Coordinates of all heavy atoms in Angstrom, one line a residue:
M1 N 0.8 -1.2 0.0 CA 0.0 0.0 0.0 C 0.9 1.3 0.0 O 1.9 1.3 0.7 CB -0.9 0.0 1.2 CG -1.8 1.2 1.2 SD -3.1 1.2 2.6 CE -4.0 -0.2 2.1
M2 N 0.5 2.2 -0.8 CA 1.3 3.4 -0.8 C 0.8 4.4 0.3 O -0.1 4.2 0.9 CB 1.1 4.1 -2.2 CG -0.2 4.7 -2.5 SD -0.4 5.6 -4.0 CE 0.5 7.0 -3.7
K3 N 1.6 5.5 0.4 CA 1.2 6.5 1.5 C -0.1 7.1 1.0 O -0.6 6.9 -0.1 CB 2.3 7.5 1.6 CG 2.4 8.5 0.4 CD 3.4 9.6 0.6 CE 3.2 10.6 -0.5 NZ 3.2 12.0 -0.1
E4 N -0.7 7.8 1.9 CA -2.1 8.3 1.6 C -2.1 9.2 0.4 O -1.2 10.0 0.2 CB -2.5 9.2 2.8 CG -3.9 9.7 2.7 CD -5.0 8.7 2.7 OE1 -4.9 7.7 3.4 OE2 -5.9 8.8 1.8
F5 N -3.1 8.9 -0.5 CA -3.2 9.7 -1.8 C -3.9 10.9 -1.4 O -5.0 10.9 -0.8 CB -4.0 8.9 -2.8 CG -4.4 9.6 -4.0 CD1 -3.4 9.9 -4.9 CD2 -5.7 10.1 -4.1 CE1 -3.8 10.6 -6.1 CE2 -6.0 10.8 -5.3 CZ -5.1 11.1 -6.3
D6 N -3.3 12.1 -1.7 CA -3.9 13.3 -1.4 C -3.9 14.2 -2.7 O -2.9 14.6 -3.2 CB -3.0 14.1 -0.3 CG -3.7 15.4 0.1 OD1 -4.7 15.8 -0.6 OD2 -3.1 16.0 1.0
P7 N -5.1 14.4 -3.2 CA -5.3 15.1 -4.5 C -4.8 16.6 -4.4 O -4.6 17.2 -5.5 CB -6.7 15.1 -4.8 CG -7.4 14.7 -3.6 CD -6.4 14.0 -2.7
R8 N -4.6 17.1 -3.2 CA -4.1 18.5 -3.0 C -2.6 18.5 -3.0 O -2.0 19.6 -2.9 CB -4.7 19.0 -1.7 CG -6.2 19.0 -1.7 CD -6.7 19.3 -0.4 NE -6.2 18.3 0.6 CZ -6.3 18.4 1.9 NH1 -7.0 19.4 2.4 NH2 -5.8 17.4 2.6
D9 N -1.9 17.4 -3.0 CA -0.5 17.4 -2.9 C 0.2 18.1 -4.1 O -0.1 17.8 -5.3 CB 0.0 15.9 -2.9 CG 1.5 15.8 -2.7 OD1 2.2 16.7 -2.8 OD2 1.9 14.6 -2.6
P10 N 1.1 19.1 -3.9 CA 1.7 19.8 -5.0 C 2.4 18.9 -5.9 O 2.6 19.2 -7.1 CB 2.7 20.8 -4.3 CG 2.1 20.9 -2.9 CD 1.4 19.6 -2.6
A11 N 3.0 17.8 -5.4 CA 3.7 16.9 -6.3 C 2.8 16.3 -7.4 O 3.2 16.0 -8.5 CB 4.4 15.7 -5.5
L12 N 1.5 16.1 -7.0 CA 0.5 15.6 -8.0 C 0.3 16.6 -9.1 O 0.2 16.2 -10.3 CB -0.7 15.2 -7.3 CG -1.8 14.6 -8.1 CD1 -1.3 13.1 -8.5 CD2 -3.1 14.5 -7.3
R13 N 0.3 17.8 -8.8 CA 0.1 18.8 -9.8 C 1.3 18.9 -10.8 O 1.1 19.1 -12.0 CB -0.2 20.1 -9.2 CG -1.6 20.2 -8.6 CD -1.8 21.6 -8.0 NE -3.1 21.6 -7.4 CZ -4.1 22.3 -7.8 NH1 -4.0 23.0 -8.9 NH2 -5.3 22.3 -7.2
S14 N 2.5 18.9 -10.2 CA 3.7 19.1 -11.0 C 4.0 17.9 -12.0 O 4.4 18.1 -13.1 CB 4.9 19.4 -10.1 OG 5.2 18.3 -9.3
D15 N 3.8 16.7 -11.5 CA 4.0 15.5 -12.3 C 3.2 14.3 -11.7 O 3.7 13.6 -10.8 CB 5.5 15.1 -12.3 CG 5.8 14.0 -13.3 OD1 4.9 13.6 -14.1 OD2 6.9 13.4 -13.2
P16 N 1.9 14.2 -12.1 CA 1.0 13.2 -11.5 C 1.3 11.7 -11.9 O 0.9 10.8 -11.2 CB -0.3 13.6 -12.0 CG -0.1 14.2 -13.4 CD 1.2 14.9 -13.1
Y17 N 2.0 11.5 -13.0 CA 2.2 10.1 -13.5 C 2.9 9.1 -12.7 O 2.4 8.0 -12.5 CB 2.8 10.2 -15.0 CG 1.9 11.0 -15.8 CD1 2.2 12.3 -16.2 CD2 0.6 10.6 -16.2 CE1 1.4 13.1 -17.0 CE2 -0.3 11.4 -17.0 CZ 0.1 12.6 -17.3 OH -0.7 13.4 -18.1
P18 N 4.0 9.5 -11.9 CA 4.6 8.6 -11.0 C 3.6 8.1 -9.9 O 3.6 7.0 -9.5 CB 5.8 9.2 -10.5 CG 6.1 10.3 -11.5 CD 4.8 10.7 -12.1
I19 N 2.9 9.1 -9.4 CA 1.9 8.8 -8.3 C 0.8 7.9 -8.9 O 0.4 6.9 -8.2 CB 1.4 10.1 -7.7 CG1 2.5 10.9 -7.1 CG2 0.2 9.9 -6.8 CD1 2.2 12.3 -6.7
Y20 N 0.3 8.2 -10.1 CA -0.8 7.3 -10.7 C -0.2 5.9 -10.9 O -0.9 4.9 -10.6 CB -1.2 7.8 -12.0 CG -1.9 9.2 -11.9 CD1 -2.0 10.0 -13.0 CD2 -2.6 9.6 -10.8 CE1 -2.7 11.2 -13.0 CE2 -3.2 10.8 -10.7 CZ -3.3 11.6 -11.9 OH -4.0 12.8 -11.8
R21 N 1.0 5.8 -11.3 CA 1.6 4.5 -11.5 C 1.7 3.7 -10.2 O 1.3 2.5 -10.1 CB 3.0 4.6 -12.1 CG 3.6 3.2 -12.5 CD 5.0 3.2 -13.1 NE 5.4 4.4 -13.9 CZ 6.2 5.4 -13.4 NH1 6.6 5.4 -12.2 NH2 6.5 6.4 -14.2
R22 N 2.2 4.4 -9.1 CA 2.2 3.7 -7.8 C 0.9 3.3 -7.3 O 0.7 2.2 -6.8 CB 2.9 4.6 -6.8 CG 4.4 4.6 -6.8 CD 5.0 5.2 -5.5 NE 4.6 6.5 -5.2 CZ 5.1 7.6 -5.7 NH1 6.0 7.6 -6.7 NH2 4.6 8.8 -5.4
L23 N -0.2 4.1 -7.5 CA -1.5 3.7 -7.2 C -1.9 2.4 -8.0 O -2.4 1.5 -7.4 CB -2.5 4.8 -7.5 CG -2.8 5.8 -6.4 CD1 -3.7 7.0 -7.0 CD2 -3.4 5.2 -5.2
R24 N -1.7 2.4 -9.3 CA -2.1 1.3 -10.1 C -1.4 0.0 -9.6 O -2.0 -1.1 -9.5 CB -1.8 1.5 -11.5 CG -2.8 2.3 -12.3 CD -2.6 2.3 -13.8 NE -1.3 2.6 -14.2 CZ -0.8 3.8 -14.4 NH1 -1.5 4.8 -14.2 NH2 0.5 4.0 -14.8
E25 N -0.1 0.1 -9.3 CA 0.7 -1.0 -9.0 C 0.5 -1.5 -7.6 O 0.6 -2.7 -7.3 CB 2.2 -0.7 -9.3 CG 2.5 -0.6 -10.7 CD 3.9 -0.1 -11.0 OE1 4.6 0.2 -10.0 OE2 4.3 0.0 -12.2
T26 N 0.3 -0.6 -6.6 CA 0.3 -1.1 -5.2 C -1.0 -0.9 -4.5 O -1.2 -1.6 -3.5 CB 1.4 -0.2 -4.4 OG1 1.0 1.2 -4.4 CG2 2.8 -0.4 -5.0
D27 N -1.9 -0.1 -5.0 CA -3.1 0.2 -4.3 C -4.2 0.6 -5.2 O -4.7 1.8 -5.2 CB -2.9 1.3 -3.2 CG -4.0 1.3 -2.1 OD1 -4.8 0.4 -2.1 OD2 -4.0 2.2 -1.4
P28 N -4.5 -0.3 -6.2 CA -5.4 0.1 -7.3 C -6.9 0.6 -6.9 O -7.5 1.3 -7.6 CB -5.5 -1.1 -8.2 CG -5.1 -2.2 -7.3 CD -4.2 -1.7 -6.3
I29 N -7.3 0.1 -5.7 CA -8.6 0.5 -5.2 C -8.3 1.1 -3.8 O -8.3 0.4 -2.8 CB -9.6 -0.6 -5.1 CG1 -9.8 -1.3 -6.5 CG2 -10.9 -0.2 -4.5 CD1 -10.7 -2.5 -6.5
H30 N -8.0 2.4 -3.8 CA -7.5 3.1 -2.6 C -8.7 3.8 -1.9 O -9.4 4.5 -2.4 CB -6.5 4.2 -3.1 CG -6.0 5.0 -2.0 ND1 -5.0 4.5 -1.1 CD2 -6.3 6.2 -1.6 CE1 -4.8 5.5 -0.2 NE2 -5.5 6.5 -0.5
E31 N -8.8 3.4 -0.6 CA -9.8 4.1 0.3 C -9.1 5.3 1.0 O -8.2 5.1 1.7 CB -10.4 3.1 1.3 CG -11.5 3.7 2.0 CD -12.2 2.8 2.9 OE1 -11.9 1.5 2.8 OE2 -13.1 3.2 3.7
S32 N -9.6 6.4 0.6 CA -9.0 7.7 1.1 C -9.4 8.1 2.5 O -10.6 7.8 2.8 CB -9.3 8.8 0.1 OG -9.0 10.0 0.7
K33 N -8.6 8.7 3.2 CA -9.0 9.2 4.5 C -10.0 10.3 4.4 O -10.7 10.7 5.4 CB -7.8 9.7 5.3 CG -7.2 10.9 4.8 CD -6.0 11.4 5.6 CE -5.4 12.6 5.1 NZ -4.2 13.0 5.8
F34 N -10.2 10.8 3.2 CA -11.2 11.9 3.0 C -12.5 11.4 2.7 O -13.5 12.1 2.5 CB -10.8 12.8 1.7 CG -9.4 13.4 1.9 CD1 -8.3 13.0 1.2 CD2 -9.2 14.4 2.8 CE1 -7.1 13.6 1.4 CE2 -8.0 15.0 3.0 CZ -6.9 14.6 2.3
G35 N -12.7 10.0 2.7 CA -14.0 9.5 2.6 C -14.5 9.0 1.2 O -15.6 8.8 1.0
Y36 N -13.5 8.9 0.3 CA -13.9 8.5 -1.0 C -12.9 7.4 -1.5 O -11.9 7.1 -0.9 CB -13.9 9.6 -2.0 CG -12.6 10.4 -2.1 CD1 -11.6 9.9 -2.9 CD2 -12.5 11.6 -1.4 CE1 -10.4 10.7 -2.9 CE2 -11.3 12.3 -1.5 CZ -10.2 11.8 -2.3 OH -9.1 12.5 -2.3
I37 N -13.3 6.7 -2.5 CA -12.5 5.6 -3.1 C -11.9 6.1 -4.4 O -12.5 6.7 -5.2 CB -13.5 4.4 -3.4 CG1 -14.2 3.9 -2.3 CG2 -12.6 3.3 -4.1 CD1 -13.4 3.3 -1.2
V38 N -10.6 5.9 -4.6 CA -9.9 6.2 -5.8 C -9.6 4.9 -6.5 O -8.9 4.0 -6.0 CB -8.5 6.9 -5.4 CG1 -7.8 7.2 -6.7 CG2 -8.7 8.1 -4.5
L39 N -10.1 4.9 -7.8 CA -9.8 3.8 -8.7 C -8.8 4.2 -9.7 O -9.0 5.3 -10.3 CB -11.1 3.4 -9.4 CG -12.3 3.0 -8.5 CD1 -13.5 2.7 -9.4 CD2 -11.9 1.7 -7.7
S40 N -7.8 3.4 -9.9 CA -6.7 3.9 -10.7 C -6.5 3.0 -11.9 O -5.6 3.3 -12.8 CB -5.4 4.0 -9.9 OG -5.0 2.7 -9.4
R41 N -7.2 1.9 -12.1 CA -7.1 1.0 -13.2 C -8.4 1.2 -14.1 O -9.5 1.2 -13.6 CB -7.0 -0.4 -12.8 CG -5.7 -0.7 -12.1 CD -5.5 -2.2 -11.8 NE -6.7 -2.6 -11.0 CZ -6.6 -3.7 -10.3 NH1 -5.5 -4.5 -10.2 NH2 -7.7 -4.1 -9.6
Y42 N -8.1 1.2 -15.4 CA -9.2 1.4 -16.4 C -10.3 0.4 -16.2 O -11.5 0.7 -16.1 CB -8.7 1.3 -17.8 CG -9.8 1.5 -18.8 CD1 -10.1 2.8 -19.3 CD2 -10.4 0.4 -19.4 CE1 -11.1 2.9 -20.2 CE2 -11.4 0.6 -20.3 CZ -11.8 1.8 -20.7 OH -12.8 2.0 -21.6
A43 N -9.9 -0.9 -16.0 CA -10.9 -2.0 -15.9 C -11.8 -1.8 -14.7 O -13.0 -2.1 -14.7 CB -10.2 -3.3 -15.8
D44 N -11.2 -1.4 -13.6 CA -12.0 -1.1 -12.3 C -13.0 0.0 -12.6 O -14.2 0.0 -12.2 CB -11.1 -0.8 -11.2 CG -10.2 -1.9 -10.8 OD1 -10.6 -3.1 -11.0 OD2 -9.1 -1.7 -10.3
V45 N -12.5 1.1 -13.2 CA -13.4 2.3 -13.5 C -14.5 1.8 -14.4 O -15.7 2.1 -14.1 CB -12.6 3.5 -14.0 CG1 -13.5 4.6 -14.5 CG2 -11.6 4.0 -13.1
E46 N -14.2 1.1 -15.5 CA -15.2 0.7 -16.4 C -16.3 -0.2 -15.7 O -17.4 -0.1 -15.9 CB -14.6 -0.1 -17.6 CG -15.6 -0.5 -18.6 CD -14.9 -1.3 -19.7 OE1 -14.0 -2.0 -19.4 OE2 -15.4 -1.1 -20.8
A47 N -15.8 -1.1 -14.8 CA -16.7 -2.0 -14.1 C -17.7 -1.2 -13.3 O -18.9 -1.5 -13.2 CB -16.0 -3.0 -13.3
V48 N -17.2 -0.2 -12.5 CA -18.1 0.6 -11.7 C -19.1 1.4 -12.5 O -20.2 1.5 -12.2 CB -17.2 1.5 -10.8 CG1 -18.1 2.6 -10.1 CG2 -16.5 0.7 -9.8
L49 N -18.6 1.9 -13.6 CA -19.5 2.8 -14.5 C -20.6 1.9 -15.1 O -21.7 2.4 -15.4 CB -18.7 3.5 -15.5 CG -17.8 4.6 -15.0 CD1 -16.9 5.2 -16.2 CD2 -18.6 5.7 -14.4
R50 N -20.3 0.6 -15.4 CA -21.3 -0.3 -16.0 C -22.2 -0.9 -15.0 O -23.2 -1.5 -15.4 CB -20.6 -1.3 -16.8 CG -19.9 -0.6 -18.1 CD -19.3 -1.7 -19.0 NE -18.6 -1.1 -20.1 CZ -19.2 -0.7 -21.2 NH1 -20.4 -0.8 -21.4 NH2 -18.4 -0.2 -22.1
A51 N -21.9 -0.9 -13.7 CA -22.6 -1.6 -12.7 C -24.0 -0.9 -12.5 O -24.0 0.3 -12.2 CB -21.9 -1.6 -11.4
P52 N -25.1 -1.7 -12.6 CA -26.4 -1.1 -12.5 C -26.7 -0.5 -11.2 O -27.5 0.4 -11.0 CB -27.3 -2.2 -12.9 CG -26.5 -3.5 -12.6 CD -25.1 -3.1 -12.8
G53 N -26.1 -1.0 -10.1 CA -26.4 -0.5 -8.8 C -25.6 0.7 -8.2 O -25.8 1.2 -7.1
V54 N -24.7 1.2 -9.1 CA -23.8 2.3 -8.7 C -24.5 3.6 -9.1 O -25.0 3.8 -10.2 CB -22.5 2.1 -9.4 CG1 -21.5 3.3 -9.0 CG2 -21.8 0.8 -8.9
S55 N -24.3 4.6 -8.2 CA -24.9 5.9 -8.5 C -24.0 7.0 -8.0 O -23.2 6.8 -7.2 CB -26.3 6.1 -7.6 OG -26.7 7.4 -7.7
S56 N -24.1 8.2 -8.7 CA -23.3 9.3 -8.2 C -24.0 10.0 -7.0 O -23.4 11.0 -6.5 CB -23.2 10.3 -9.4 OG -24.5 10.8 -9.7
E57 N -25.1 9.5 -6.6 CA -25.8 10.1 -5.4 C -25.2 9.5 -4.1 O -25.9 8.9 -3.4 CB -27.3 9.9 -5.6 CG -27.9 10.6 -6.7 CD -29.4 10.4 -6.9 OE1 -29.9 9.3 -6.4 OE2 -30.0 11.2 -7.5
F58 N -23.9 9.7 -3.9 CA -23.3 9.1 -2.8 C -23.9 9.6 -1.4 O -23.8 8.9 -0.5 CB -21.8 9.6 -2.8 CG -21.5 11.0 -2.8 CD1 -21.4 11.7 -1.6 CD2 -21.4 11.7 -4.0 CE1 -21.2 13.1 -1.6 CE2 -21.2 13.1 -3.9 CZ -21.1 13.7 -2.7
Y59 N -24.4 10.8 -1.4 CA -25.0 11.4 -0.2 C -26.2 10.5 0.3 O -26.6 10.7 1.4 CB -25.4 12.8 -0.4 CG -26.3 13.1 -1.6 CD1 -27.7 12.9 -1.5 CD2 -25.8 13.4 -2.8 CE1 -28.5 13.1 -2.5 CE2 -26.6 13.6 -3.9 CZ -28.0 13.4 -3.8 OH -28.8 13.6 -4.8
R60 N -26.7 9.6 -0.6 CA -27.8 8.8 -0.1 C -27.3 7.5 0.4 O -28.1 6.7 1.0 CB -28.7 8.5 -1.3 CG -29.4 9.7 -1.9 CD -30.4 9.3 -3.0 NE -30.9 10.5 -3.6 CZ -32.1 11.1 -3.2 NH1 -32.8 10.5 -2.3 NH2 -32.5 12.1 -3.9
S61 N -26.0 7.3 0.4 CA -25.5 6.0 1.0 C -25.4 6.1 2.4 O -24.9 7.0 3.0 CB -24.0 5.8 0.4 OG -23.3 4.9 1.2
E62 N -25.9 5.1 3.1 CA -25.9 5.0 4.6 C -24.4 4.9 5.1 O -24.1 5.5 6.2 CB -26.8 3.9 5.1 CG -28.2 4.1 4.9 CD -29.1 3.0 5.4 OE1 -28.6 2.2 6.2 OE2 -30.2 2.9 4.9
T63 N -23.6 4.2 4.4 CA -22.2 4.1 4.8 C -21.5 5.5 4.7 O -20.9 5.9 5.7 CB -21.5 3.2 3.9 OG1 -22.1 1.9 3.9 CG2 -20.0 3.0 4.3
W64 N -21.7 6.2 3.7 CA -21.1 7.5 3.5 C -21.7 8.5 4.6 O -20.8 9.2 5.3 CB -21.4 8.1 2.2 CG -20.6 9.4 1.9 CD1 -19.4 9.6 1.5 CD2 -21.2 10.7 2.1 NE1 -19.1 11.0 1.4 CE2 -20.2 11.6 1.8 CE3 -22.4 11.2 2.5 CZ2 -20.4 13.0 1.8 CZ3 -22.6 12.6 2.6 CH2 -21.6 13.5 2.3
T65 N -22.9 8.5 4.8 CA -23.5 9.5 5.7 C -23.1 9.1 7.2 O -22.8 10.0 8.0 CB -25.0 9.5 5.6 OG1 -25.6 8.2 5.8 CG2 -25.5 10.1 4.3
A66 N -23.0 7.9 7.5 CA -22.6 7.5 8.8 C -21.1 7.9 9.1 O -20.8 8.4 10.1 CB -22.7 6.0 9.0
R67 N -20.2 7.7 8.1 CA -18.8 8.1 8.2 C -18.7 9.6 8.4 O -17.8 10.0 9.1 CB -18.1 7.7 6.9 CG -17.1 6.6 7.1 CD -16.3 6.4 5.9 NE -16.0 5.0 5.9 CZ -15.4 4.4 4.8 NH1 -15.1 5.1 3.8 NH2 -15.2 3.1 4.9
R68 N -19.5 10.3 7.7 CA -19.4 11.7 7.7 C -20.2 12.4 8.8 O -20.1 13.6 9.0 CB -19.8 12.4 6.4 CG -19.2 11.8 5.1 CD -17.8 12.1 5.1 NE -17.6 13.4 4.5 CZ -16.5 14.1 4.3 NH1 -15.4 13.5 4.5 NH2 -16.5 15.2 3.7
G69 N -21.0 11.6 9.5 CA -21.8 12.1 10.6 C -22.9 13.0 10.1 O -23.3 14.0 10.7
V70 N -23.4 12.7 8.9 CA -24.5 13.5 8.2 C -25.8 12.7 8.3 O -25.8 11.5 8.2 CB -24.1 13.7 6.7 CG1 -25.2 14.5 6.1 CG2 -22.8 14.4 6.7
R71 N -26.9 13.5 8.5 CA -28.2 12.9 8.5 C -28.5 12.4 7.1 O -28.2 13.1 6.1 CB -29.2 13.9 8.8 CG -30.0 13.5 10.0 CD -31.1 14.6 10.3 NE -31.7 15.2 9.1 CZ -31.8 16.5 9.0 NH1 -31.4 17.3 9.9 NH2 -32.4 17.0 7.9
K72 N -29.1 11.2 6.9 CA -29.4 10.8 5.6 C -30.5 11.7 4.9 O -31.5 12.1 5.6 CB -30.0 9.3 5.6 CG -30.2 8.8 4.2 CD -30.5 7.3 4.3 CE -30.7 6.9 2.9 NZ -31.0 5.4 2.8
V73 N -30.2 12.0 3.7 CA -31.1 12.9 3.0 C -32.4 12.1 2.5 O -32.2 11.1 1.8 CB -30.4 13.5 1.7 CG1 -31.5 14.3 0.9 CG2 -29.3 14.4 2.1
Q74 N -33.6 12.5 2.9 CA -34.7 11.7 2.6 C -35.2 11.9 1.1 O -35.5 11.0 0.4 CB -35.9 12.0 3.5 CG -35.6 11.7 4.9 CD -35.3 10.1 5.1 OE1 -36.0 9.4 4.5 NE2 -34.3 9.8 5.9
S75 N -35.3 13.1 0.7 CA -35.7 13.4 -0.7 C -35.4 14.9 -1.0 O -35.2 15.7 -0.1 CB -37.2 13.2 -0.8 OG -37.9 14.1 0.0
Y76 N -35.3 15.1 -2.3 CA -35.1 16.4 -2.8 C -36.3 16.8 -3.6 O -36.9 16.0 -4.3 CB -33.9 16.5 -3.7 CG -32.6 16.6 -2.9 CD1 -31.8 15.4 -2.7 CD2 -32.2 17.8 -2.4 CE1 -30.7 15.5 -2.0 CE2 -31.0 17.8 -1.6 CZ -30.2 16.7 -1.5 OH -29.1 16.8 -0.7
R77 N -36.7 18.0 -3.6 CA -37.8 18.5 -4.4 C -37.2 19.6 -5.4 O -36.6 20.5 -4.9 CB -38.9 19.2 -3.6 CG -40.0 19.6 -4.3 CD -41.2 20.0 -3.4 NE -42.2 20.7 -4.1 CZ -42.6 21.9 -3.8 NH1 -42.2 22.5 -2.8 NH2 -43.5 22.4 -4.6
V78 N -37.4 19.4 -6.6 CA -36.9 20.3 -7.6 C -38.1 21.0 -8.2 O -39.1 20.5 -8.5 CB -36.2 19.5 -8.8 CG1 -35.8 20.5 -9.8 CG2 -35.1 18.7 -8.2
C79 N -38.0 22.3 -8.1 CA -39.1 23.2 -8.7 C -38.6 24.4 -9.2 O -37.4 24.8 -9.0 CB -40.2 23.4 -7.6 SG -39.5 24.5 -6.3
R80 N -39.4 25.1 -10.0 CA -39.1 26.4 -10.5 C -39.2 27.5 -9.4 O -39.9 27.2 -8.4 CB -40.0 26.8 -11.7 CG -39.8 25.9 -12.9 CD -40.6 26.4 -14.1 NE -41.0 25.2 -14.8 CZ -42.2 24.8 -15.2 NH1 -43.2 25.6 -14.9 NH2 -42.3 23.7 -15.9
I81 N -38.6 28.6 -9.7 CA -38.7 29.7 -8.7 C -40.2 30.1 -8.6 O -40.9 30.2 -9.6 CB -37.9 30.9 -9.2 CG1 -36.4 30.5 -9.2 CG2 -38.1 32.1 -8.3 CD1 -35.5 31.5 -9.7
G82 N -40.6 30.2 -7.4 CA -42.0 30.6 -7.1 C -42.9 29.4 -6.8 O -44.1 29.6 -6.6
C83 N -42.4 28.2 -6.7 CA -43.3 27.1 -6.4 C -43.4 26.9 -4.9 O -42.7 27.4 -4.1 CB -42.9 25.8 -7.0 SG -41.3 25.3 -6.6

């Protein structure tokens, strides 16, 4: 396992490819201390994007909300101004 992946690290901005390579080789499915998962292999990303049960609505995940200490969002109402 590599050291903690930090997307704010200045080294990542200056030359990200060595860090990406280390992620792929040593920790391809990295669980960040920031509360998200970093996938570094194409096959893993493709599998997640094609999985029918995966959603970008992470805030509805009980695991995510419990980790973050956030109340689960019950529903959202979308309306035009004035409704």
Side-chain angles (χ1 to χ4, degrees):
M1 183 177 295
M2 72 176 285
K3 72 175 188 135
E4 183 65 39
F5 173 74
D6 185 353
R8 301 169 301 172
D9 184 353
L12 187 66
R13 289 182 182 248
S14 64
D15 187 12
Y17 301 107
I19 295 169
Y20 294 159
R21 184 181 333 98
R22 275 196 307 278
L23 269 174
R24 279 192 311 275
E25 292 172 356
T26 63
D27 197 10
I29 302 174
H30 176 77
E31 187 170 351
S32 167
K33 70 178 181 184
F34 300 109
Y36 55 84
I37 304 292
V38 177
L39 302 175
S40 57
R41 295 184 303 200
Y42 180 87
D44 296 327
V45 173
E46 182 180 36
V48 168
L49 291 175
R50 293 183 184 278
V54 175
S55 171
S56 63
E57 296 179 334
F58 60 89
Y59 53 85
R60 295 184 187 268
S61 162
E62 290 180 22
T63 303
W64 184 84
T65 54
R67 249 190 213 170
R68 306 293 277 181
V70 178
R71 239 183 35 229
K72 185 171 179 177
V73 177
Q74 295 300 320
S75 65
Y76 280 100
R77 181 169 170 237
V78 178
C79 66
R80 292 185 211 130
I81 295 175
C83 60

